[in-house]
């Protein structure tokens, strides 16, 4: 015993109450390792928080929009020269005739509220979004009976006025800005005090089509969301059955030989091919060779299907591999055919994995931008695509491309829009991942 | 020595002649010939890796599922060559049931586990018929009393012994003629083992049962005939009592007395 405490190399001979040097070293190493791990996790969390905060700070205001309530006198002489109230005849009247009505309406409304306007007609005009004129015209054409009356309309304030109430535009910045004057801002503030101008939730941001370069306040995600949903439908409808069928064949039926090895390696390679290459492929094959329309969700969907297939195949094969072979043996031993053993037993067990892989693949496809740029989905699209299946061939854009598009535009109001669009995209991804978790839980909980 | 398997007492259900099995380059079964009678329990014993499971898997062509396995020779059931080109292994396996080493119930309900075979083979005319098949299979596996109130519960929730009896019930439900058992008790405790052994003894009334086992005591308890495999050879085959009391081959004797294996 005394020999041991002197340290002749035998472990565990000293008192248990005192940790020996070796144990202390091991514990210190373990503590250090835990600190590294914590550090790594914290870096990840900090990065995520910074990302989310910056996106929210930039984009959250896109979900609020400033509108002005104006009592517009719909002058019959100007809007319906023929006096028939026939929408076809009234359609001949351009927005050019409507613009003064809005301005006059605004002036009258301001006067009625007892506000003293220090701005001229042109400045009044500038406070209202150009989009509002078109909006008013559409409204009147849809309801010809309104002509001759004075109707209250809620119109979009121009981007600078909107920005003033979101803190983007200040009196100081207005001094230097050729698009807005401090007087206009002062008037806007008085309008708000008179409750004629208010800032509310911006439904139009989610439903309206894109706005032109000069009308950031009117730009919405409607077409982009529809386009993205259409493409996801196409990807799901094509990639899931093709991917699952290919994986089942490769995993359960295909003989193990050189050819299947080659196919396997190539599927893995395909998963690593840069997405822009798929875009070039789509351009060459689907548009130039097959003559499908440009900017259409069908082409985008096909390209994204090609991109998603390897992901789904790899995930499905992993899920099939994870099913214990004893289940296959049990089914085959009972006289089930190969296909019965796969369809009745293996596939249901692999389902959670397959669904997770599919949704991860879809989420990847949803955020993909590069290939869509090449097949012309960057186009400026104002028209909503029709309902599927015809709508698959109509021009549309997609969420990530719309974000890319908005970040390219000059007006700073588009930065806010892009931030808002990123939030929408993230919410979509979150929803898809939650679906994946939900489905996995559901299928796994069966037994 | 390989024709020691041809001593015949009862009419043979399964006859094997000159069976060779190769796993890739490995010669796993070397020239095995054996006659397995009906309505008896035949035990295959031998040290690990001697080929007894491999040979068992030849009888219902489960080796077909292994890409590198190759079977030569002649195996007949009721005089029909089961490796004939015209034989569909799926049909064969309905006739030759199998119980595996590890209990492997499907992750489905107890009822569905047993009903699966009859369903895919269309053995039941209607629901009531199927209920009857399930009940009689579970009764035969001595499991009915324990599970009759929870047929809708998952088969994977049963204890190990119950799961193995469920697998036996599942195999019995397809009305096979031969029942192959690959070390059915190796994952079970002694009580569950005793229950399964009792069951095997009853099953021989209707089937030709072939059981692979590591335990010589088990072979002595349940089987009427025993085959001793060693390094891919069928060393000795005969009545169980004789194999265990007066083995002819020195290798059998040293295995039984515990010197090899």
């Amino acid at each position: 015993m005394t020999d041991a405490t002197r340290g002749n190399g035998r472990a565990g001979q000293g008192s248990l109450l005192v940790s020996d040097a070796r144990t202390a070293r091991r514990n210190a190493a373990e503590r250090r390792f835990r600190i590294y791990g914590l550090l790594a996790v914290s870096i990840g969390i900090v990065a995520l928080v910074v990302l989310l905060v910056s996106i929210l700070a930039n984009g959250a205001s896109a979900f609020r929009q400033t509108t002005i309530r104006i009592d517009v006198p719909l002058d019959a002489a100007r809007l319906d020269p023929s006096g028939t109230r026939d929408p076809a005849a009234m359609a001949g009247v351009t927005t050019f005739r409507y613009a003064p009505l809005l301005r006059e309406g605004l002036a009258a409304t301001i006067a009625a509220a007892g506000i003293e306007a220090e701005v001229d007609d042109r400045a009044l005009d500038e406070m209202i979004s150009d989009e509002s004129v078109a909006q008013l015209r559409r409204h009147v054409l849809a309801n010809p009976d309104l002509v001759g009356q004075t109707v209250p309309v809620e119109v979009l304030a121009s981007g600078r006025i909107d920005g003033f109430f979101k803190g983007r535009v200040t009196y100081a910045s207005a001094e230097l800005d050729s698009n807005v004057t401090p007087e206009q801002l002062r008037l806007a503030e008085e309008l708000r005090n008179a409750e004629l101008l208010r800032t509310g939730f911006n439904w139009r941001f989610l439903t309206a089509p894109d706005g032109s370069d000069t009308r950031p306040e009117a730009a919405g995600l409607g077409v982009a969301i529809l386009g993205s949903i259409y493409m996801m439908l196409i990807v799901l409808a094509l990639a899931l059955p093709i991917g699952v069928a290919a994986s089942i064949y490769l995993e359960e039926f295909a003989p193990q030989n050189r050819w299947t090895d080659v196919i396997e390696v190539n599927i893995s390679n395909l998963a690593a091919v840069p997405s822009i290459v798929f875009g070039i492929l789509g351009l060459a094959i689907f548009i130039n060779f097959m003559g499908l329309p440009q900017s259409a969700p069908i082409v985008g969907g096909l390209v994204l299907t090609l991109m998603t297939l390897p992901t789904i195949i790899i995930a499905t094969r992993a899920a099939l591999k994870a099913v214990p072979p004893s289940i296959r043996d049990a089914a085959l031993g009972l006289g089930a055919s190969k296909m019965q053993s796969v369809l009745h037993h293996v596939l249901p067990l692999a389902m959670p994995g397959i669904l997770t892989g599919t949704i991860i693949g879809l989420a990847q496809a949803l955020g993909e931008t590069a290939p869509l740029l090449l097949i012309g989905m960057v186009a400026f699209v104002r028209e909503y695509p029709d309902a599927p299946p015809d709508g698959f061939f109509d021009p549309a854009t997609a969420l990530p491309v719309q974000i890319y598009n908005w970040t390219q535009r000059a007006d700073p109001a588009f930065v806010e829009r892009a931030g808002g669009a990123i939030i929408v995209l993230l919410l979509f991804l979150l929803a898809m991942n939650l679906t994946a978790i939900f489905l996995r839980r559901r299928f796994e909980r069966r037994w | 020595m390989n024709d020691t398997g041809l001593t015949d007492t009862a009419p043979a259900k399964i006859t094997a002649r000159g069976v060779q099995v190769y796993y890739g380059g490995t010669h796993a079964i070397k020239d095995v010939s054996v006659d397995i009678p009906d309505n008896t329990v035949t035990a295959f014993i031998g040290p690990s890796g001697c080929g007894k499971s491999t040979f068992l898997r030849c009888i219902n062509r489960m080796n077909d599922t292994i890409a590198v396995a190759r079977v030569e020779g002649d195996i007949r059931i009721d005089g029909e060559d089961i490796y004939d080109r015209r034989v569909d292994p799926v049909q064969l396996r309905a006739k030759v049931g199998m119980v595996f080493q590890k209990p492997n119930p499907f992750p489905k309900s107890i009822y569905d586990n047993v009903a699966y075979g009859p369903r895919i083979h269309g053995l039941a005319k209607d629901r009531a018929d199927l209920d009857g098949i399930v009940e009689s299979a579970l009764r035969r596996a001595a499991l009915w009393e324990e599970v009759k109130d929870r047929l809708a519960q998952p088969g994977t929730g049963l204890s190990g012994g119950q799961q193995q009896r469920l697998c036996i019930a599942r195999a019995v439900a397809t009305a096979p003629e031969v029942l192959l058992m690959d070390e059915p008790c190796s994952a079970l405790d002694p009580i569950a083992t005793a229950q399964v052994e009792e069951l095997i003894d009853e099953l021989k009334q209707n089937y030709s049962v072939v059981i692979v086992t590591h335990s010589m005591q088990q072979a002595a308890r349940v089987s009427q005939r025993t085959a001793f495999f060693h390094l891919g050879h069928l060393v000795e085959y005969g009545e169980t009592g004789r194999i265990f009391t007066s083995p002819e081959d020195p290798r059998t004797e040293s295995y039984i007395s515990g010197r090899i294996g």
Side-chain angles (χ1 to χ4, degrees), chain B:
Chain B
M1 74 188 106
N2 287 317
D3 52 6
T4 47
L6 303 184
T7 48
D8 229 351
T9 46
K13 180 77 178 169
I14 307 163
T15 56
R17 292 290 176 277
V19 176
Q20 321 270 356
V21 180
Y22 303 87
Y23 280 124
T26 323
H27 196 173
I29 294 283
K30 295 160 188 158
D31 196 27
V32 167
S33 299
V34 69
D35 283 340
I36 294 170
D38 208 354
N39 297 350
T40 30
V41 178
T42 305
F44 289 176
I45 61 169
S48 295
C50 67
K52 52 194 190 302
S53 286
T54 302
F55 184 69
L56 190 78
R57 290 167 69 93
C58 292
I59 302 175
N60 68 345
R61 289 185 62 174
M62 279 299 273
N63 283 330
D64 290 15
T65 61
I66 301 164
V68 293
R70 190 157 51 82
V71 179
E72 286 172 7
D74 185 68
I75 300 177
R76 289 172 185 274
I77 292 179
D78 294 331
E80 288 176 337
D81 181 7
I82 62 169
Y83 280 89
D84 192 284
R85 195 182 283 277
R86 286 165 297 177
V87 171
D88 187 339
V90 168
Q91 221 174 320
L92 169 73
R93 289 180 200 134
K95 199 171 173 176
V96 184
M98 187 158 191
V99 176
F100 295 85
Q101 184 171 0
K102 220 179 101 206
N104 54 355
F106 299 127
K108 296 175 186 286
S109 72
I110 294 172
Y111 184 94
D112 286 338
N113 260 285
V114 182
Y116 184 68
R119 274 195 186 127
I120 58 172
H121 296 299
L123 298 182
K125 285 190 294 292
D126 50 32
R127 178 79 194 191
D129 203 11
L130 190 60
D131 287 350
I133 293 176
V134 169
E135 184 181 337
S136 76
L138 283 169
R139 275 189 196 285
R140 233 190 246 163
L143 193 61
W144 175 250
E145 291 303 323
E146 291 160 62
V147 301
K148 65 181 175 191
D149 298 323
R150 45 177 178 148
L151 291 176
Q153 282 175 29
T156 40
L158 297 172
S159 74
Q162 287 173 325
Q163 286 191 17
Q164 194 61 300
R165 278 180 286 152
L166 178 63
C167 292
I168 295 174
R170 186 175 65 185
V172 166
T174 51
E177 295 170 22
V178 177
L179 201 54
L180 308 177
M181 299 180 141
D182 190 357
E183 299 183 38
C185 301
S186 63
L188 305 185
D189 65 42
I191 295 171
T193 302
Q195 285 169 327
V196 171
E197 283 180 4
E198 205 175 311
L199 183 59
I200 292 170
D201 198 49
E202 280 168 33
L203 290 173
K204 77 164 190 282
Q205 326 230 316
N206 302 294
Y207 311 102
S208 167
V209 180
V210 184
I211 176 170
V212 164
T213 177
H214 262 305
S215 151
M216 283 174 286
Q217 288 85 346
Q218 183 171 57
R221 280 194 301 266
V222 300
S223 72
Q224 285 78 55
R225 299 182 72 79
T226 296
F228 173 63
F229 283 78
H230 188 241
L231 300 176
H233 293 287
L234 175 62
V235 176
E236 195 164 351
Y237 176 55
E239 219 181 302
T240 301
R242 188 190 60 73
I243 295 274
F244 279 98
T245 50
S246 53
E248 284 165 6
D249 194 284
R251 285 171 294 177
T252 318
E253 205 213 328
S254 41
Y255 181 68
I256 286 166
S257 56
R259 263 176 282 146
I260 59 167

Side-chain angles (χ1 to χ4, degrees), chain A residues 97-122:
Chain A
R97 291 274 188 92
Y98 284 84
L101 289 181
L102 266 182
R103 187 203 318 126
E104 287 158 23
L106 180 57
T109 311
I110 290 169
I115 300 167
E116 226 159 285
E118 303 160 11
V119 295
D120 56 8
D121 281 359
R122 222 179 83 82

